Amino acid sequence: MALPFETHIVIFPFMAQGHTLPLLDLSKALSRHQIRVSIITTPGNAKSISNYIASYPHVYVIEIPFPTVDGLPKGCENTSQLPSVEFHLPFINATKQLRKPPFQNIIQTMLDSQTPPICVISDFFLGWTLAVCRALDVPRLVFHGMDVLSMAICKYTWVHQPHLKAKSVSDPLHLPGVKLPFTLTSAELPETVNKQNQDDLLSKLIEEVGEANANSWGVVVNSFEELEKSHILCFESFYSEAKAWCLGPLFLYEEMEDLEKRNFSMLMQWLVEQITPDSVIYVSFGTQADVSDTQLDEVAFGLKESGFPFVWLVRSKTWTLPGGMEEKIKGKGLIIREWVDQRRILCQ
């Protein structure tokens, strides 16, 4: 059976709540734009993820087994289950064993299917996904939960740390090319930057994932361009050719859903208030049909002439009601320009 959505994106979150939740919100948002989403995770994380996206039938969860690794407690598949921070580095390194064959086989199977993925979006800790994506000619985008400016500072100070000179940890740092809207001192930098050591395992990991991320096709950032436009070019300069896509703040998606639920309640109340049962006309041309503004004018005239109350979903961003029409349909119909749950409406 042919799938309803042809555009397909693979999302691979790191196994930590703070890293996973924004990508789940992104998955929901993508699915609402008629994009099929496959989320790759391990069995221990699959249940909570499935519950989170349960009402989104075009977001799928694909499970791959978490490797058994010496030095990690058995059954730990999420950082929230680790006994202490000392286990974080072994945990991150353990995820590298998901590369072959699990991850590579999954992507290859998808490429051989009717809905091959157009890209893979994976967490910045999962830099090893780049090699697989390159081998299979699938663009890899790295996901960052931080804002652009914070990452630009971290990347600049990591690359130029040996040359950053300050009389003391409380002296202001000067970062050429980074437009700081505040005073920054080395004492405020992450410990991993201040105590950078080429022989340190954590430093080696940061260097490794940083190189993979720098060579990725793009960067998805949990921030919005209007806030950080002046910092984006500086941030992008640390990548080979990647463009930064600001798609956040993704946590607001839940608030958008709450707003939609409130709007839906208002719509249902309006339907209940109609005097005659089964008397409302519902009009929707779906998400694929391209209806011109002239055709929308004719639909408006037809609905007015029908004399029946109506609910009409309009996707056009350019169309407005013909002159004088607003007063004639006032109180008789609702024109909605946001997504609504059609199945719930038609079940009433």
Side-chain angles (χ1 to χ4, degrees):
M1 183 178 70
L3 293 169
F5 301 153
E6 294 188 0
T7 303
H8 181 197
I9 290 178
V10 174
I11 288 183
F12 197 165
F14 180 65
M15 300 80 178
Q17 294 304 99
H19 291 244
T20 298
L21 290 176
L23 281 173
L24 298 187
D25 287 333
L26 176 60
S27 299
K28 291 180 178 181
L30 291 172
S31 72
R32 291 277 295 274
H33 286 277
Q34 311 307 309
I35 295 174
R36 176 190 175 104
V37 179
S38 294
I39 301 173
I40 297 179
T41 191
T42 64
N45 295 283
K47 183 177 180 180
S48 61
I49 289 177
S50 296
N51 291 338
Y52 198 81
I53 49 90
S55 60
Y56 291 79
H58 300 291
V59 180
Y60 302 85
V61 176
I62 298 177
E63 296 182 24
I64 55 177
F66 195 88
T68 301
V69 178
D70 290 338
L72 276 183
K74 187 177 180 180
C76 284
E77 297 185 18
N78 191 289
T79 57
S80 63
Q81 300 170 330
L82 298 176
S84 66
V85 294
E86 285 78 15
F87 290 90
H88 276 243
L89 184 58
F91 184 89
I92 296 171
N93 282 323
T95 65
K96 297 176 185 177
Q97 296 188 29
L98 299 173
R99 174 181 171 181
K100 291 183 180 180
F103 177 67
Q104 182 166 318
N105 287 354
I106 286 173
I107 301 301
Q108 184 62 67
T109 300
M110 290 177 174
L111 291 173
D112 296 336
S113 71
Q114 294 181 340
T115 54
I118 61 170
C119 70
V120 171
I121 302 175
S122 60
D123 188 272
F124 70 93
F125 272 142
L126 306 178
W128 50 265
T129 57
L130 176 65
V132 174
C133 291
R134 277 185 166 179
L136 299 178
D137 198 26
V138 178
R140 184 252 179 168
L141 289 85
V142 54
F143 174 77
H144 279 283
M146 294 169 58
D147 60 278
V148 172
L149 178 58
S150 296
M151 287 189 291
I153 292 172
C154 287
K155 287 186 175 296
Y156 186 98
T157 50
W158 180 268
V159 172
H160 301 287
Q161 196 267 351
H163 308 290
L164 294 176
K165 304 296 182 182
K167 294 180 180 179
S168 71
V169 294
S170 58
D171 286 340
L173 286 174
H174 176 57
L175 309 181
V178 183
K179 300 177 181 178
L180 294 177
F182 49 78
T183 299
L184 179 69
T185 68
S186 60
E188 297 168 312
L189 295 176
E191 186 178 352
T192 51
V193 173
N194 274 331
K195 297 184 178 180
Q196 188 180 150
N197 182 349
Q198 292 184 348
D199 297 324
D200 179 65
L201 292 177
L202 180 57
S203 294
K204 287 182 178 179
L205 174 67
I206 294 173
E207 190 72 32
E208 180 183 309
V209 298
E211 182 178 352
N213 294 337
N215 290 293
S216 293
W217 186 80
V219 190
V220 178
V221 185
N222 193 7
S223 185
F224 57 103
E225 187 172 339
E226 291 81 358
L227 176 67
E228 303 200 88
K229 191 171 185 179
S230 61
H231 309 302
I232 292 176
L233 285 178
C234 172
F235 173 61
E236 289 177 334
S237 69
F238 293 98
Y239 293 80
S240 297
E241 297 179 359
K243 174 179 173 57
W245 304 92
C246 296
L247 303 182
L250 293 168
F251 76 92
L252 291 179
Y253 189 79
E254 286 298 320
E255 293 188 16
M256 290 169 58
E257 285 192 323
D258 291 341
L259 177 61
E260 286 169 356
K261 289 176 183 176
R262 290 195 294 272
N263 289 341
F264 185 82
S265 298
M266 294 170 59
L267 168 60
M268 298 314 299
Q269 182 62 35
W270 184 86
L271 288 173
V272 169
E273 290 172 355
Q274 302 312 303
I275 298 174
T276 307
D278 302 324
S279 63
V280 177
I281 300 174
Y282 176 76
V283 183
S284 174
F285 297 106
T287 57
Q288 302 299 321
D290 186 14
V291 185
S292 69
D293 289 357
T294 301
Q295 291 172 314
L296 292 173
D297 284 346
E298 295 301 319
V299 174
F301 288 124
L303 289 172
K304 180 184 75 68
E305 292 298 321
S306 74
F308 287 95
F310 63 86
V311 175
W312 182 14
L313 271 66
V314 178
R315 293 177 57 243
S316 173
K317 303 298 183 184
T318 59
W319 179 78
T320 56
L321 275 169
M325 180 73 71
E326 189 169 350
E327 279 299 316
K328 293 179 181 178
I329 66 170
K330 190 173 182 179
K332 298 180 180 179
L334 290 180
I335 297 177
I336 302 174
R337 296 181 181 270
E338 302 294 335
W339 182 91
V340 297
D341 192 330
Q342 176 172 287
R343 290 172 298 180
R344 290 178 64 189
I345 291 175
L346 297 179
C347 283
Q348 300 304 311

